[in-house]
Amino acid sequence: MGDEGAVMATNDDASECKRGAVQLGYWTDNYISYFVRHMEKRAPEINRGYYARVKGVDTFVQKFINRAGSNAQVVNFGAGFDTLYWRLKDEGVAISCYVELDFPTVTAKKCYTIKKNKPLLDRIYQQDGEVKYSSTDMHSGNFHCLGVDLRQIKQLQEKLTQADIRFDKPTLFLAECVLVYIESDWASRLLKWLSSTFSRALFINYEMCHMNDTFGNIMAANLRARGCFLSGLSYCKSLESQRGRFLDSGWTGAKAWDMVEVYHSLDPKERDRIEKIEFLDEQELLLQLFQHYCICIGYMGEEYGDFELN
Ligand SMILES: C[S@@+](CC[C@H](N)C(=O)[O-])C[C@H]1O[C@@H](n2cnc3c(N)ncnc32)[C@H](O)[C@@H]1O
């Protein structure tokens, strides 16, 4: 990996973009503003891109939860300042164990913010339960925010054990723009370890695809200029390569859709609503962005093999 600082900074960027889009009314998130104070105005294409990303990922999260019921466990890789835990809590969704993992520098900031903000803390606090903190880790009831380098499988295993993750329960793994920052071999090792350890699992991976063309090269060059190397780019060539990495790593099956397909699968009324928030005079750029990101799901066992976009 190139500079870890630059990789961690991608979380600030993603969180600022999400906060900006939430502020404009693209979707509701009552918690992101606790984690992000600073905000810059982004182009309408970026806001629509984030809308599709959040809603697309939510689609599969909901499908998983509906199928898995209260036994569901969630492991969010490279969670950054993601707020899904709190949003699910507000919806009354019961999760048996929810684990967020990121570099210790990022989890330290997240734990600190949770501690300082009562609305965040109240929702992870379990009655009669104890909140255990270290500078980088936090355990409270079913919620765990833990610092680890995802390339260190042994440490990862220890962290998941500390969080009381059960290897036999239905488990959702999330990675939103994370694997692309990890060298391909290390990411494959992670996927192989997961497939050999969990028998009932769904992995939702959101990241780049079609990165071999001119637009993709420009995207990668822009990130490189900010010191951020896309070490896992070899799996981002196509939907086929995204699916292939799961199949080659022992997963039962995998499916992938680019964000053009994902966007058009979303509720037409909602799309209509958000398309009125900001005027987009250049449809071509949005199309290019949508063509260069995808959602790929990998599944272990047959429980989630019938999941489709709709
Ligand atoms: C683009 S941000 C995405 C954050 C969050 N998933 C979201 O979508 O809002 C990528 C995150 O992955 C984390 N990350 C990348 N490589 C990692 C590694 N080897 N170990 C732990 N975290 C990693 C970064 O620190 C960062 O928080």
Side-chain angles (χ1 to χ4, degrees), residues 10-20 32 35-36 38-39 50 79-82:
T10 62
N11 172 52
D12 298 326
D13 194 47
S15 311
E16 283 172 23
C17 288
K18 286 181 179 176
R19 183 178 166 177
I32 189 75
F35 295 103
V36 193
H38 173 79
M39 219 176 33
Y50 271 89
F81 294 159
D82 189 78

Side-chain angles (χ1 to χ4, degrees), residues 1 4 7-11 14-15 18 53 76-82 101-103 106 148-151 175-178 181-182:
M1 190 183 290
E4 273 176 17
V7 171
M8 288 188 268
T10 62
N11 172 52
S15 311
K18 286 181 179 176
R53 164 176 172 170
N76 193 342
F77 292 122
F81 294 159
D82 189 78
L101 301 165
D102 209 300
F103 282 120
V106 177
V148 69
D149 183 335
L150 296 169
R151 295 166 295 183
E176 218 185 294
C177 272
V178 176
Y181 299 112
I182 298 177

Side-chain angles (χ1 to χ4, degrees), residues 10-279:
T10 62
N11 172 52
D12 298 326
D13 194 47
S15 311
E16 283 172 23
C17 288
K18 286 181 179 176
R19 183 178 166 177
V22 164
Q23 186 126 330
L24 288 168
Y26 279 86
W27 71 95
T28 304
D29 182 334
N30 296 324
Y31 303 99
I32 189 75
S33 58
Y34 292 109
F35 295 103
V36 193
R37 303 285 173 200
H38 173 79
M39 219 176 33
E40 271 168 43
K41 192 173 167 9
R42 311 282 164 156
E45 292 83 1
I46 303 290
N47 292 330
R48 265 191 218 185
Y50 271 89
Y51 171 80
R53 164 176 172 170
V54 169
K55 292 293 166 186
V57 169
D58 272 0
T59 302
F60 287 104
V61 171
Q62 292 300 341
K63 282 181 198 286
F64 171 80
I65 284 169
N66 291 344
R67 182 86 37 107
S70 56
N71 263 336
Q73 307 184 118
V74 178
V75 178
N76 193 342
F77 292 122
F81 294 159
D82 189 78
T83 57
L84 179 63
Y85 176 84
W86 290 269
R87 289 184 281 127
L88 289 176
K89 191 92 182 185
D90 280 357
E91 286 170 25
V93 173
I95 301 285
S96 72
C97 185
Y98 195 106
V99 187
E100 299 194 335
L101 301 165
D102 209 300
F103 282 120
T105 309
V106 177
T107 56
K109 286 188 201 155
K110 189 157 194 178
C111 292
Y112 179 81
T113 307
I114 295 171
K115 269 193 276 181
K116 291 278 162 202
N117 291 284
K118 200 166 174 305
L120 296 173
L121 194 58
D122 279 352
R123 280 161 187 78
I124 65 158
Y125 183 73
Q126 310 277 307
Q127 212 147 32
D128 305 328
E130 189 193 353
V131 185
K132 288 194 218 140
Y133 304 108
S134 73
S135 57
T136 62
D137 290 11
M138 170 179 257
H139 297 272
S140 174
N142 68 341
F143 177 80
H144 311 265
C145 177
L146 309 173
V148 69
D149 183 335
L150 296 169
R151 295 166 295 183
Q152 307 296 329
I153 305 284
K154 202 165 171 301
Q155 285 172 20
L156 170 66
Q157 187 168 5
E158 280 163 16
K159 292 283 174 178
L160 291 179
T161 307
Q162 282 170 21
D164 289 331
I165 276 279
R166 290 264 308 271
F167 299 136
D168 56 342
K169 278 193 177 180
T171 307
L172 173 65
F173 299 103
L174 275 175
E176 218 185 294
C177 272
V178 176
L179 298 183
V180 70
Y181 299 112
I182 298 177
E183 295 86 334
S184 304
D185 285 355
W186 292 102
S188 293
R189 233 165 281 176
L190 171 64
L191 293 182
K192 278 185 194 143
W193 179 72
L194 294 175
S195 72
S196 61
T197 308
F198 292 84
S199 50
R200 304 167 68 193
L202 179 74
F203 196 120
I204 306 175
N205 185 37
Y206 170 88
E207 68 184 356
M208 294 112 172
C209 64
H210 302 136
M211 286 297 281
N212 268 3
D213 65 12
T214 313
F215 190 85
N217 287 334
I218 295 171
M219 274 170 63
N222 284 343
L223 277 156
R224 266 199 306 277
R226 287 156 53 184
C228 199
F229 291 88
L230 301 176
S231 314
L233 210 52
S234 63
Y235 285 116
C236 301
K237 287 186 196 131
S238 60
L239 296 179
E240 202 45 57
S241 61
Q242 286 285 4
R243 271 195 299 268
R245 71 170 7 167
F246 282 96
L247 302 177
D248 294 345
S249 305
W251 289 68
T252 310
K255 298 178 187 178
W257 304 267
D258 71 23
M259 294 310 286
V260 179
E261 292 174 277
V262 173
Y263 185 67
H264 287 103
S265 75
L266 299 175
D267 179 358
K269 279 204 203 97
E270 269 294 286
R271 272 190 284 132
D272 241 29
R273 180 186 69 77
I274 68 113
E275 285 176 7
K276 293 194 182 93
I277 295 178
E278 288 177 289
F279 178 67

Side-chain angles (χ1 to χ4, degrees), residues 257-308:
W257 304 267
D258 71 23
M259 294 310 286
V260 179
E261 292 174 277
V262 173
Y263 185 67
H264 287 103
S265 75
L266 299 175
D267 179 358
K269 279 204 203 97
E270 269 294 286
R271 272 190 284 132
D272 241 29
R273 180 186 69 77
I274 68 113
E275 285 176 7
K276 293 194 182 93
I277 295 178
E278 288 177 289
F279 178 67
L280 201 68
D281 55 359
E282 179 58 270
Q283 295 287 337
E284 185 55 28
L285 176 58
L286 180 67
L287 182 65
Q288 297 254 43
L289 275 173
F290 277 166
Q291 283 167 341
H292 287 82
Y293 282 92
C294 69
I295 289 181
C296 180
I297 59 167
Y299 49 91
M300 280 306 295
E302 296 300 340
E303 266 167 285
Y304 314 110
D306 61 341
F307 281 6
E308 296 292 341

